[in-house]
Amino acid sequence: MKKIIFMSRIDPYKKIIIMIKQTSLLLVFLAFIFHVSAQKTRHYNLVQLLTENKLDTTKTEMHILNDNNYKQAISLKGTAWLKDVSFTKGTIEVDLRGKNVFLQSFLGIAFHSVNDSIYDVVYFRPFNFKHEDTLRRKWSVQYMSMPGYDYDKLRKEHPLVYENAVTPVPGPDDWFHATIIISDDSAAVYVNHSSTASLKVHLLNNRSDGKIGLWSYTPGVSGDFANLIIKQ
């Protein structure tokens, strides 16, 4: 009863303002619920994609990985684009394993690709994960936008903006989990389900969609991939 009397004393104009604010909050909440429900989560069996010729493996060395803990894992050197899959924005999850071979192990996820030369990529340098050099540890995870913004240009012009250390720190020869969240103009990278981002960057181009693929730099050692999940 007190609440009704109190509201009745509010100026009618203020009542309208309160109602507008309440309606706006409700619309924002409903929009969020709709966006979450509209997202589709797809789990990709990489071994099945490979055997069914659903990976574009031009100029790529690839084979099924015999690993007791990861039954659907593949190893590759190069880039394997998922055929008939276009990525805009959302969440990418994947398990990866590189090798503790200095300046040879580079692996991650490429996205918003036009072709093998034009794409964005988030990738890891496992040999730097636990390096004795503190600066090198800060070169463990990197974002690049090819061809205009490779690691060398970004490191010289924007030191430690587009690369960082990873947290928590996996072993350089161990499997680790990466969660990559791509929004309209930014990317965030999380390792091993941490609540702390290892890297947050603004995207360096205006592309909003394109091919998505597994990326392992050549020349270099092969990278291992398993349990790819894409939500968008």
Side-chain angles (χ1 to χ4, degrees), residues 125-154:
R125 303 183 181 97
F127 54 85
N128 280 337
F129 285 175
K130 295 187 175 182
H131 200 281
E132 295 177 355
D133 187 330
T134 303
L135 179 58
R136 278 205 166 273
R137 290 202 297 271
K138 294 179 181 179
W139 296 344
S140 291
V141 57
Q142 171 94 46
Y143 162 77
M144 297 191 303
S145 184
M146 302 298 286
Y149 299 95
D150 63 12
Y151 85 93
D152 190 49
K153 178 181 177 67
L154 293 176

mmCIF file of all heavy atoms in Angstrom, residues 125-154:
data_model
loop_
_atom_site.group_PDB
_atom_site.id
_atom_site.type_symbol
_atom_site.label_atom_id
_atom_site.label_comp_id
_atom_site.label_asym_id
_atom_site.label_seq_id
_atom_site.Cartn_x
_atom_site.Cartn_y
_atom_site.Cartn_z
ATOM 1 N N ARG A 125 52.812 -19.613 -30.074
ATOM 2 C CA ARG A 125 54.202 -20.051 -30.210
ATOM 3 C C ARG A 125 54.556 -20.859 -28.952
ATOM 4 O O ARG A 125 55.073 -20.302 -27.972
ATOM 5 C CB ARG A 125 55.137 -18.839 -30.331
ATOM 6 C CG ARG A 125 54.827 -17.883 -31.480
ATOM 7 C CD ARG A 125 55.888 -16.778 -31.504
ATOM 8 N NE ARG A 125 55.643 -15.799 -32.557
ATOM 9 C CZ ARG A 125 55.024 -14.627 -32.377
ATOM 10 N NH1 ARG A 125 54.575 -14.306 -31.157
ATOM 11 N NH2 ARG A 125 54.847 -13.793 -33.374
ATOM 12 N N PRO A 126 54.283 -22.147 -28.947
ATOM 13 C CA PRO A 126 54.493 -22.938 -27.723
ATOM 14 C C PRO A 126 55.923 -22.906 -27.192
ATOM 15 O O PRO A 126 56.138 -23.006 -25.975
ATOM 16 C CB PRO A 126 54.085 -24.352 -28.153
ATOM 17 C CG PRO A 126 53.113 -24.139 -29.263
ATOM 18 C CD PRO A 126 53.638 -22.950 -30.005
ATOM 19 N N PHE A 127 56.909 -22.761 -28.077
ATOM 20 C CA PHE A 127 58.301 -22.749 -27.624
ATOM 21 C C PHE A 127 58.611 -21.527 -26.758
ATOM 22 O O PHE A 127 59.652 -21.476 -26.082
ATOM 23 C CB PHE A 127 59.267 -22.811 -28.821
ATOM 24 C CG PHE A 127 59.037 -21.741 -29.855
ATOM 25 C CD1 PHE A 127 59.600 -20.488 -29.717
ATOM 26 C CD2 PHE A 127 58.244 -21.994 -30.968
ATOM 27 C CE1 PHE A 127 59.392 -19.497 -30.658
ATOM 28 C CE2 PHE A 127 58.040 -21.009 -31.935
ATOM 29 C CZ PHE A 127 58.607 -19.760 -31.777
ATOM 30 N N ASN A 128 57.708 -20.541 -26.778
ATOM 31 C CA ASN A 128 57.898 -19.355 -25.925
ATOM 32 C C ASN A 128 57.133 -19.430 -24.607
ATOM 33 O O ASN A 128 57.330 -18.571 -23.735
ATOM 34 C CB ASN A 128 57.454 -18.092 -26.668
ATOM 35 C CG ASN A 128 58.497 -17.596 -27.648
ATOM 36 O OD1 ASN A 128 59.676 -17.889 -27.519
ATOM 37 N ND2 ASN A 128 58.062 -16.830 -28.641
ATOM 38 N N PHE A 129 56.269 -20.430 -24.451
ATOM 39 C CA PHE A 129 55.403 -20.472 -23.271
ATOM 40 C C PHE A 129 56.186 -20.335 -21.964
ATOM 41 O O PHE A 129 55.803 -19.589 -21.072
ATOM 42 C CB PHE A 129 54.599 -21.775 -23.249
ATOM 43 C CG PHE A 129 53.449 -21.829 -24.222
ATOM 44 C CD1 PHE A 129 52.714 -22.990 -24.361
ATOM 45 C CD2 PHE A 129 53.114 -20.734 -24.995
ATOM 46 C CE1 PHE A 129 51.644 -23.051 -25.253
ATOM 47 C CE2 PHE A 129 52.052 -20.777 -25.890
ATOM 48 C CZ PHE A 129 51.317 -21.954 -26.024
ATOM 49 N N LYS A 130 57.281 -21.084 -21.853
ATOM 50 C CA LYS A 130 58.066 -21.094 -20.607
ATOM 51 C C LYS A 130 59.530 -20.724 -20.868
ATOM 52 O O LYS A 130 60.422 -21.165 -20.137
ATOM 53 C CB LYS A 130 57.975 -22.464 -19.945
ATOM 54 C CG LYS A 130 56.570 -22.812 -19.465
ATOM 55 C CD LYS A 130 56.550 -24.105 -18.657
ATOM 56 C CE LYS A 130 55.151 -24.351 -18.103
ATOM 57 N NZ LYS A 130 55.087 -25.573 -17.262
ATOM 58 N N HIS A 131 59.745 -19.909 -21.856
ATOM 59 C CA HIS A 131 61.115 -19.532 -22.211
ATOM 60 C C HIS A 131 61.770 -18.758 -21.068
ATOM 61 O O HIS A 131 61.116 -18.027 -20.320
ATOM 62 C CB HIS A 131 61.107 -18.677 -23.481
ATOM 63 C CG HIS A 131 62.405 -18.623 -24.196
ATOM 64 N ND1 HIS A 131 63.448 -17.818 -23.780
ATOM 65 C CD2 HIS A 131 62.853 -19.288 -25.295
ATOM 66 C CE1 HIS A 131 64.470 -17.974 -24.594
ATOM 67 N NE2 HIS A 131 64.147 -18.867 -25.527
ATOM 68 N N GLU A 132 63.081 -18.911 -20.934
ATOM 69 C CA GLU A 132 63.821 -18.214 -19.880
ATOM 70 C C GLU A 132 63.775 -16.705 -20.054
ATOM 71 O O GLU A 132 63.830 -15.946 -19.072
ATOM 72 C CB GLU A 132 65.279 -18.685 -19.872
ATOM 73 C CG GLU A 132 65.452 -20.148 -19.496
ATOM 74 C CD GLU A 132 66.908 -20.576 -19.564
ATOM 75 O OE1 GLU A 132 67.745 -19.748 -19.992
ATOM 76 O OE2 GLU A 132 67.199 -21.724 -19.197
ATOM 77 N N ASP A 133 63.696 -16.253 -21.283
ATOM 78 C CA ASP A 133 63.647 -14.821 -21.587
ATOM 79 C C ASP A 133 62.235 -14.300 -21.312
ATOM 80 O O ASP A 133 61.262 -14.731 -21.932
ATOM 81 C CB ASP A 133 64.018 -14.598 -23.053
ATOM 82 C CG ASP A 133 64.158 -13.124 -23.410
ATOM 83 O OD1 ASP A 133 63.472 -12.289 -22.790
ATOM 84 O OD2 ASP A 133 64.940 -12.812 -24.320
ATOM 85 N N THR A 134 62.106 -13.362 -20.381
ATOM 86 C CA THR A 134 60.797 -12.823 -20.003
ATOM 87 C C THR A 134 60.085 -12.195 -21.192
ATOM 88 O O THR A 134 58.869 -12.344 -21.348
ATOM 89 C CB THR A 134 60.946 -11.769 -18.894
ATOM 90 O OG1 THR A 134 61.603 -12.359 -17.782
ATOM 91 C CG2 THR A 134 59.593 -11.246 -18.453
ATOM 92 N N LEU A 135 60.820 -11.486 -22.044
ATOM 93 C CA LEU A 135 60.209 -10.854 -23.200
ATOM 94 C C LEU A 135 59.668 -11.908 -24.156
ATOM 95 O O LEU A 135 58.563 -11.750 -24.685
ATOM 96 C CB LEU A 135 61.218 -9.962 -23.921
ATOM 97 C CG LEU A 135 60.696 -9.255 -25.186
ATOM 98 C CD1 LEU A 135 59.482 -8.391 -24.865
ATOM 99 C CD2 LEU A 135 61.801 -8.420 -25.824
ATOM 100 N N ARG A 136 60.424 -12.973 -24.378
ATOM 101 C CA ARG A 136 59.954 -14.007 -25.286
ATOM 102 C C ARG A 136 58.659 -14.653 -24.784
ATOM 103 O O ARG A 136 57.816 -15.060 -25.585
ATOM 104 C CB ARG A 136 61.024 -15.084 -25.492
ATOM 105 C CG ARG A 136 62.062 -14.678 -26.517
ATOM 106 C CD ARG A 136 62.714 -15.862 -27.161
ATOM 107 N NE ARG A 136 63.437 -15.445 -28.348
ATOM 108 C CZ ARG A 136 62.901 -15.337 -29.550
ATOM 109 N NH1 ARG A 136 61.623 -15.622 -29.718
ATOM 110 N NH2 ARG A 136 63.626 -14.951 -30.577
ATOM 111 N N ARG A 137 58.491 -14.762 -23.495
ATOM 112 C CA ARG A 137 57.247 -15.327 -22.960
ATOM 113 C C ARG A 137 56.052 -14.453 -23.336
ATOM 114 O O ARG A 137 54.930 -14.945 -23.458
ATOM 115 C CB ARG A 137 57.347 -15.497 -21.442
ATOM 116 C CG ARG A 137 58.316 -16.590 -21.022
ATOM 117 C CD ARG A 137 58.026 -17.093 -19.620
ATOM 118 N NE ARG A 137 58.187 -16.077 -18.598
ATOM 119 C CZ ARG A 137 59.335 -15.828 -17.958
ATOM 120 N NH1 ARG A 137 60.419 -16.529 -18.259
ATOM 121 N NH2 ARG A 137 59.402 -14.902 -17.033
ATOM 122 N N LYS A 138 56.319 -13.154 -23.528
ATOM 123 C CA LYS A 138 55.245 -12.248 -23.936
ATOM 124 C C LYS A 138 54.972 -12.314 -25.433
ATOM 125 O O LYS A 138 54.117 -11.592 -25.950
ATOM 126 C CB LYS A 138 55.596 -10.815 -23.519
ATOM 127 C CG LYS A 138 55.647 -10.629 -22.010
ATOM 128 C CD LYS A 138 56.014 -9.203 -21.621
ATOM 129 C CE LYS A 138 56.075 -9.050 -20.118
ATOM 130 N NZ LYS A 138 56.452 -7.661 -19.716
ATOM 131 N N TRP A 139 55.688 -13.181 -26.138
ATOM 132 C CA TRP A 139 55.448 -13.425 -27.554
ATOM 133 C C TRP A 139 54.832 -14.816 -27.746
ATOM 134 O O TRP A 139 55.154 -15.526 -28.680
ATOM 135 C CB TRP A 139 56.760 -13.341 -28.339
ATOM 136 C CG TRP A 139 57.423 -11.998 -28.330
ATOM 137 C CD1 TRP A 139 56.871 -10.804 -27.974
ATOM 138 C CD2 TRP A 139 58.772 -11.709 -28.722
ATOM 139 N NE1 TRP A 139 57.776 -9.786 -28.101
ATOM 140 C CE2 TRP A 139 58.970 -10.313 -28.560
ATOM 141 C CE3 TRP A 139 59.832 -12.478 -29.172
ATOM 142 C CZ2 TRP A 139 60.170 -9.681 -28.845
ATOM 143 C CZ3 TRP A 139 61.034 -11.856 -29.462
ATOM 144 C CH2 TRP A 139 61.204 -10.478 -29.305
ATOM 145 N N SER A 140 53.945 -15.201 -26.864
ATOM 146 C CA SER A 140 53.390 -16.564 -26.882
ATOM 147 C C SER A 140 52.107 -16.686 -27.682
ATOM 148 O O SER A 140 51.841 -17.726 -28.285
ATOM 149 C CB SER A 140 53.152 -17.051 -25.452
ATOM 150 O OG SER A 140 54.367 -17.257 -24.772
ATOM 151 N N VAL A 141 51.266 -15.659 -27.676
ATOM 152 C CA VAL A 141 50.030 -15.680 -28.460
ATOM 153 C C VAL A 141 49.964 -14.390 -29.264
ATOM 154 O O VAL A 141 50.288 -13.315 -28.754
ATOM 155 C CB VAL A 141 48.771 -15.860 -27.578
ATOM 156 C CG1 VAL A 141 48.659 -14.769 -26.523
ATOM 157 C CG2 VAL A 141 47.508 -15.916 -28.443
ATOM 158 N N GLN A 142 49.570 -14.488 -30.523
ATOM 159 C CA GLN A 142 49.663 -13.364 -31.462
ATOM 160 C C GLN A 142 48.407 -13.270 -32.322
ATOM 161 O O GLN A 142 47.811 -14.286 -32.685
ATOM 162 C CB GLN A 142 50.859 -13.589 -32.386
ATOM 163 C CG GLN A 142 50.968 -12.635 -33.559
ATOM 164 C CD GLN A 142 51.845 -11.439 -33.282
ATOM 165 O OE1 GLN A 142 52.936 -11.603 -32.743
ATOM 166 N NE2 GLN A 142 51.404 -10.259 -33.661
ATOM 167 N N TYR A 143 48.011 -12.050 -32.634
ATOM 168 C CA TYR A 143 46.999 -11.790 -33.667
ATOM 169 C C TYR A 143 47.688 -11.122 -34.854
ATOM 170 O O TYR A 143 48.522 -10.235 -34.672
ATOM 171 C CB TYR A 143 45.895 -10.871 -33.141
ATOM 172 C CG TYR A 143 45.078 -10.221 -34.235
ATOM 173 C CD1 TYR A 143 44.105 -10.939 -34.926
ATOM 174 C CD2 TYR A 143 45.299 -8.889 -34.601
ATOM 175 C CE1 TYR A 143 43.363 -10.347 -35.948
ATOM 176 C CE2 TYR A 143 44.564 -8.302 -35.615
ATOM 177 C CZ TYR A 143 43.597 -9.026 -36.279
ATOM 178 O OH TYR A 143 42.867 -8.439 -37.292
ATOM 179 N N MET A 144 47.344 -11.569 -36.068
ATOM 180 C CA MET A 144 47.828 -10.917 -37.277
ATOM 181 C C MET A 144 46.669 -10.765 -38.250
ATOM 182 O O MET A 144 45.692 -11.529 -38.205
ATOM 183 C CB MET A 144 48.919 -11.747 -37.976
ATOM 184 C CG MET A 144 50.182 -11.955 -37.208
ATOM 185 S SD MET A 144 51.521 -12.680 -38.240
ATOM 186 C CE MET A 144 50.742 -14.194 -38.836
ATOM 187 N N SER A 145 46.775 -9.788 -39.145
ATOM 188 C CA SER A 145 45.830 -9.609 -40.246
ATOM 189 C C SER A 145 46.643 -9.534 -41.524
ATOM 190 O O SER A 145 47.326 -8.550 -41.785
ATOM 191 C CB SER A 145 45.007 -8.335 -40.052
ATOM 192 O OG SER A 145 44.040 -8.206 -41.072
ATOM 193 N N MET A 146 46.560 -10.605 -42.286
ATOM 194 C CA MET A 146 47.395 -10.717 -43.479
ATOM 195 C C MET A 146 46.678 -10.184 -44.715
ATOM 196 O O MET A 146 45.453 -10.318 -44.824
ATOM 197 C CB MET A 146 47.778 -12.187 -43.689
ATOM 198 C CG MET A 146 48.507 -12.790 -42.495
ATOM 199 S SD MET A 146 50.078 -11.979 -42.145
ATOM 200 C CE MET A 146 51.073 -12.627 -43.511
ATOM 201 N N PRO A 147 47.418 -9.544 -45.635
ATOM 202 C CA PRO A 147 48.874 -9.460 -45.695
ATOM 203 C C PRO A 147 49.469 -8.191 -45.093
ATOM 204 O O PRO A 147 50.688 -8.080 -44.975
ATOM 205 C CB PRO A 147 49.133 -9.506 -47.199
ATOM 206 C CG PRO A 147 47.961 -8.759 -47.779
ATOM 207 C CD PRO A 147 46.792 -9.119 -46.906
ATOM 208 N N GLY A 148 48.658 -7.229 -44.717
ATOM 209 C CA GLY A 148 49.189 -5.915 -44.350
ATOM 210 C C GLY A 148 49.776 -5.811 -42.964
ATOM 211 O O GLY A 148 50.585 -4.912 -42.694
ATOM 212 N N TYR A 149 49.387 -6.712 -42.063
ATOM 213 C CA TYR A 149 49.814 -6.599 -40.669
ATOM 214 C C TYR A 149 50.362 -7.930 -40.185
ATOM 215 O O TYR A 149 49.686 -8.679 -39.480
ATOM 216 C CB TYR A 149 48.649 -6.143 -39.788
ATOM 217 C CG TYR A 149 48.085 -4.796 -40.164
ATOM 218 C CD1 TYR A 149 46.975 -4.693 -41.005
ATOM 219 C CD2 TYR A 149 48.670 -3.619 -39.685
ATOM 220 C CE1 TYR A 149 46.456 -3.453 -41.363
ATOM 221 C CE2 TYR A 149 48.157 -2.378 -40.040
ATOM 222 C CZ TYR A 149 47.049 -2.309 -40.873
ATOM 223 O OH TYR A 149 46.540 -1.077 -41.232
ATOM 224 N N ASP A 150 51.603 -8.228 -40.560
ATOM 225 C CA ASP A 150 52.224 -9.443 -40.066
ATOM 226 C C ASP A 150 52.869 -9.169 -38.713
ATOM 227 O O ASP A 150 52.871 -8.037 -38.221
ATOM 228 C CB ASP A 150 53.228 -9.997 -41.074
ATOM 229 C CG ASP A 150 54.399 -9.035 -41.321
ATOM 230 O OD1 ASP A 150 54.554 -8.050 -40.555
ATOM 231 O OD2 ASP A 150 55.151 -9.273 -42.285
ATOM 232 N N TYR A 151 53.420 -10.219 -38.094
ATOM 233 C CA TYR A 151 53.933 -10.075 -36.733
ATOM 234 C C TYR A 151 55.067 -9.054 -36.666
ATOM 235 O O TYR A 151 55.191 -8.297 -35.684
ATOM 236 C CB TYR A 151 54.404 -11.433 -36.204
ATOM 237 C CG TYR A 151 55.817 -11.784 -36.607
ATOM 238 C CD1 TYR A 151 56.894 -11.470 -35.781
ATOM 239 C CD2 TYR A 151 56.085 -12.396 -37.832
ATOM 240 C CE1 TYR A 151 58.196 -11.756 -36.160
ATOM 241 C CE2 TYR A 151 57.383 -12.690 -38.208
ATOM 242 C CZ TYR A 151 58.429 -12.369 -37.382
ATOM 243 O OH TYR A 151 59.709 -12.650 -37.760
ATOM 244 N N ASP A 152 55.914 -9.014 -37.685
ATOM 245 C CA ASP A 152 57.082 -8.138 -37.659
ATOM 246 C C ASP A 152 56.666 -6.671 -37.648
ATOM 247 O O ASP A 152 57.166 -5.861 -36.855
ATOM 248 C CB ASP A 152 57.973 -8.444 -38.867
ATOM 249 C CG ASP A 152 59.310 -7.738 -38.776
ATOM 250 O OD1 ASP A 152 59.957 -7.813 -37.712
ATOM 251 O OD2 ASP A 152 59.714 -7.104 -39.758
ATOM 252 N N LYS A 153 55.719 -6.324 -38.508
ATOM 253 C CA LYS A 153 55.229 -4.945 -38.571
ATOM 254 C C LYS A 153 54.543 -4.561 -37.257
ATOM 255 O O LYS A 153 54.787 -3.478 -36.704
ATOM 256 C CB LYS A 153 54.240 -4.799 -39.734
ATOM 257 C CG LYS A 153 53.612 -3.412 -39.867
ATOM 258 C CD LYS A 153 52.632 -3.386 -41.013
ATOM 259 C CE LYS A 153 51.913 -2.050 -41.145
ATOM 260 N NZ LYS A 153 52.835 -0.964 -41.532
ATOM 261 N N LEU A 154 53.700 -5.446 -36.746
ATOM 262 C CA LEU A 154 52.968 -5.148 -35.517
ATOM 263 C C LEU A 154 53.907 -5.036 -34.320
ATOM 264 O O LEU A 154 53.728 -4.172 -33.454
ATOM 265 C CB LEU A 154 51.917 -6.221 -35.264
ATOM 266 C CG LEU A 154 50.771 -6.273 -36.281
ATOM 267 C CD1 LEU A 154 49.836 -7.434 -35.978
ATOM 268 C CD2 LEU A 154 49.991 -4.959 -36.293
#
